[in-house]
Amino acid sequence: MTTQEIVSKLWNLCNVLRDDGITYHQYVTELTYILFLKMANETGAEENFSKGVTLLEGDNLTADQEAANNEKKIVLDYSWETLCGKSGIELHKYYKDLLRLFGTYCTGRVREIYQGSSTNIDEPKNLEKIITTIDGLDWFSAREEGLGNLYEGLLEKNANEKKSGAGQYFTPRVLIDVITRLTKPQPGELCNDPACGTFGFMIAAHQYVKDHTDDFFDLDADTAEFERTKAFTGCELVHDTHRLALMNAMLHDIDGKILLGDTLSNLGKSMKGYDLVETNPPFGTKKGGERATRDDFTFPTSNKQLNFLQHIYRSLKSNGKARAAVVLPDNVLFADGEGERIRVDLMDKCDLHTVLRLPTGIFYAQGVKTNVLFFTRGKTDKGNTKEVWFYDLRTNMPSFGKTNPLKKSDFESFEAAYEAEDRHAVSDERWSVFTREQIAERGNSLDLGLIRDDSIVDYEDLPDPIESGEEAIAQLEEAVDLLMSVVKELKSLRKTEV
C-alpha cells in the first residue's frame, strides 16, 4: 500500500465522524492524537510516554496524592495494545483520560502535543472504528515510505478541502521546495518560520540539508546534533495548528523549538539572530483593527503582513549573508503611509534582490494575488538595495487550482533566471529589473514587473483615453440638459394646475 493510498483511507474515515458534527480540521486534530499513539508503537517510542513520570512514595499520602498516583499508573501502564483491547464506553473513557493525562504528566514533545487536548468524538463506536482501521493499515509500507510523508499527505489533503479552511496555513509543497532550493539552507545555520503553520518550510529546509550531507553523515557529531535539536525553529499562534506542527516535526526527527504564541506580540522580540527565514505569514489586519502589541516596531501598523515583514528583516543577522524568502500579498508592494516607510527601511537594511509575482489560484482564497520577496540582510542599515529583479509568473499563465496544481516545471524558467551568473544576460520577457532610483521615482512602489496581458487583443485598438473622457463628458452634459428640461416642464405644469 502506497502512502497516497494510506492517506486516502485515513481521509475517508472522516465520513465516520460526520454524525458527530466534527469538522475537517477537528478530524485531522483528532486523527493526530490517535496516529501519534500508533506511530509511537510502530517506532518503539512508546517508552517516551513514561519518561519523567514517577509515583509518589510514602505511608502518609494525601487523598490528592493517591489520586495523582492512580492517574500516573494509567500513563505508566499505557500501550497501543491496551488501547485496542478496549471497546464501547470503556474505550471512550480510557481515551479521554489518556488525552488529559499525557498533557499533564508526560514530558517533552508528548506533553506539548497533548497539552489542552480533548476529544470531539461523542459516539464510542465511531472511536472504535477509527482505532481499528488505523491498527489494520499496512504500517510496514508506511514506515518504508516515511511516516512524516504520510502525515504531510494528510495535512495536504485537509488543505485542499475548501470546507476545512486549512489552506490558509498550508503553502503548496512545490512552492516551498522552490523557495528552499533557492535559499539553500546550510549546516550550522539557524533557520526560522515566524508563522510556521504545520511547519512545512522548516521540514523542507531540514530535508535540503540532509540531502546535501548524506543524511548528516558528512557532518561532525556536534553539527549533526545541532541540525536535529536547534537548527529549525518556528512559532504558531493557533493551538491546534501548533499541535500539527509538533507532530510533523517529530515524525521528521526534528526537535527544534516550536513556540505557541503570537510573533507580533512581545514574544517575537526574542526571535532573532537567524541565518535564514522562510515563511508565508497570515494576510489581513489585526482583529478589530487594533495595532500590533509589539512595542519595538519602528513603524506600527494594523496590517499583519507589514508587521511580519518588519519582524523578519529585523530578525536576521547583520552579517551580509543572512537571508529570507517571504510570501506576501500585493498590497505590501504598494501600500502608502507606513507601508512605504517599511519598504524603504527594508531596501535600506537589506538587499531586496528578487520579487517573484506568483500566479493566482494557488492558495485557499482564489482571488488573492501574492508574491515572494527574496532579500539578504546587509552589514549596515543603509543603501543595501541597488536594483530589484522581478519575475512575472502571473500574467498569461494557466488557471491553477485543485484540478491543475502547481508543478515543479512551472518554476524552471524562474529558477534559471534567479541563479544566472549574469542576470542581465537572461533573455526572458518575464524577467525585468528596476534600479533603486527608478523605484524611488515611483513613490517606492514595488508593484512592478508585470508583462503585457495577451487577453487584451491589441492595445492599439483601444480608444484614446482623452477622447473617451471628452465623449463621456459630452454625453453627461446632454443628459443633464435633458433632465433640466424635464424638470422645467414639470414646474410649468404645476403652475398651470394652481
Side-chain angles (χ1 to χ4, degrees), residues 7-24 27-28 31 121 123 125-127 129-130 133 157 161 163:
V7 167
S8 295
K9 196 159 187 175
L10 288 172
W11 188 250
N12 287 336
L13 279 174
C14 67
N15 296 324
V16 174
L17 301 181
R18 283 180 180 169
D19 290 340
D20 269 353
I22 292 177
T23 66
Y24 286 102
Y27 168 66
V28 172
L31 206 55
I121 302 174
E123 175 53 57
K125 287 184 179 178
N126 287 344
L127 176 62
K129 169 77 172 175
I130 292 171
T133 302
K157 195 87 171 175
E161 175 54 62
K163 293 178 182 177

Side-chain angles (χ1 to χ4, degrees), residues 332-387:
V332 169
L333 303 184
F334 57 75
D336 56 12
E338 297 298 345
E340 180 184 354
R341 284 186 272 277
I342 289 168
R343 288 193 302 275
V344 170
D345 194 42
L346 167 66
M347 288 185 283
D348 274 341
K349 289 184 169 66
C350 303
D351 176 13
L352 174 64
H353 52 81
T354 311
V355 176
L356 171 62
R357 311 300 300 262
L358 289 170
T360 56
I362 63 174
F363 293 107
Y364 72 109
Q366 294 295 306
V368 173
K369 295 180 179 179
T370 54
N371 315 268
V372 185
L373 275 60
F374 295 86
F375 51 87
T376 302
R377 185 72 158 86
K379 294 181 179 180
T380 63
D381 285 349
K382 288 292 181 182
N384 281 290
T385 298
K386 307 300 182 186
E387 60 184 18

Side-chain angles (χ1 to χ4, degrees), residues 433-454:
V433 64
F434 292 83
T435 66
R436 182 67 187 89
E437 291 72 26
Q438 289 173 320
I439 293 170
E441 289 170 2
R442 289 166 170 78
N444 292 300
S445 171
L446 293 170
D447 192 17
L448 305 166
L450 296 177
I451 63 176
R452 170 175 168 161
D453 190 343
D454 287 345

Side-chain angles (χ1 to χ4, degrees), residues 156-315:
E156 186 169 13
K157 195 87 171 175
N158 189 35
N160 289 335
E161 175 54 62
K162 290 183 180 179
K163 293 178 182 177
S164 77
Q168 61 184 302
Y169 63 81
F170 193 93
T171 308
R173 167 56 55 188
V174 64
L175 178 58
I176 289 177
D177 289 342
V178 167
I179 288 172
T180 303
R181 283 197 299 273
L182 296 178
T183 54
K184 296 178 173 55
Q186 298 297 307
E189 290 189 327
L190 190 59
C191 307
N192 181 259
D193 183 344
C196 68
T198 55
F199 214 54
F201 273 109
M202 292 297 97
I203 285 167
H206 173 263
Q207 188 62 48
Y208 182 92
V209 177
K210 283 187 71 176
D211 290 344
H212 288 78
T213 59
D214 189 22
D215 284 349
F216 301 152
F217 284 111
D218 291 343
L219 306 177
D220 61 66
D222 289 344
T223 306
E225 179 68 7
F226 174 84
E227 295 304 307
R228 193 183 70 80
T229 60
K230 295 181 180 179
F232 306 99
T233 62
C235 183
E236 172 54 38
L237 175 63
V238 180
H239 199 159
D240 278 348
T241 308
H242 177 254
R243 207 187 310 276
L244 302 183
L246 291 170
M247 177 75 164
N248 212 4
M250 187 205 73
L251 291 175
H252 287 87
D253 197 28
I254 301 173
D255 203 27
K257 187 177 292 185
I258 305 175
L259 300 174
L260 173 62
D262 186 0
T263 298
L264 300 183
S265 72
N266 283 332
L267 170 69
K269 290 163 67 174
S270 63
M271 298 166 58
K272 57 187 178 180
Y274 301 119
D275 297 286
L276 174 64
V277 173
E278 296 179 339
T279 188
N280 177 12
F283 304 161
T285 57
K286 294 282 281 185
K287 190 174 181 181
E290 74 268 19
R291 289 177 178 269
T293 51
R294 283 280 286 269
D295 58 17
D296 64 329
F297 280 158
T298 309
F299 310 101
T301 169
S302 62
N303 184 304
K304 284 195 288 190
Q305 53 266 23
L306 283 171
N307 280 323
F308 267 107
L309 182 56
Q310 285 189 85
H311 164 80
I312 291 160
Y313 66 76
R314 290 157 56 104
S315 72

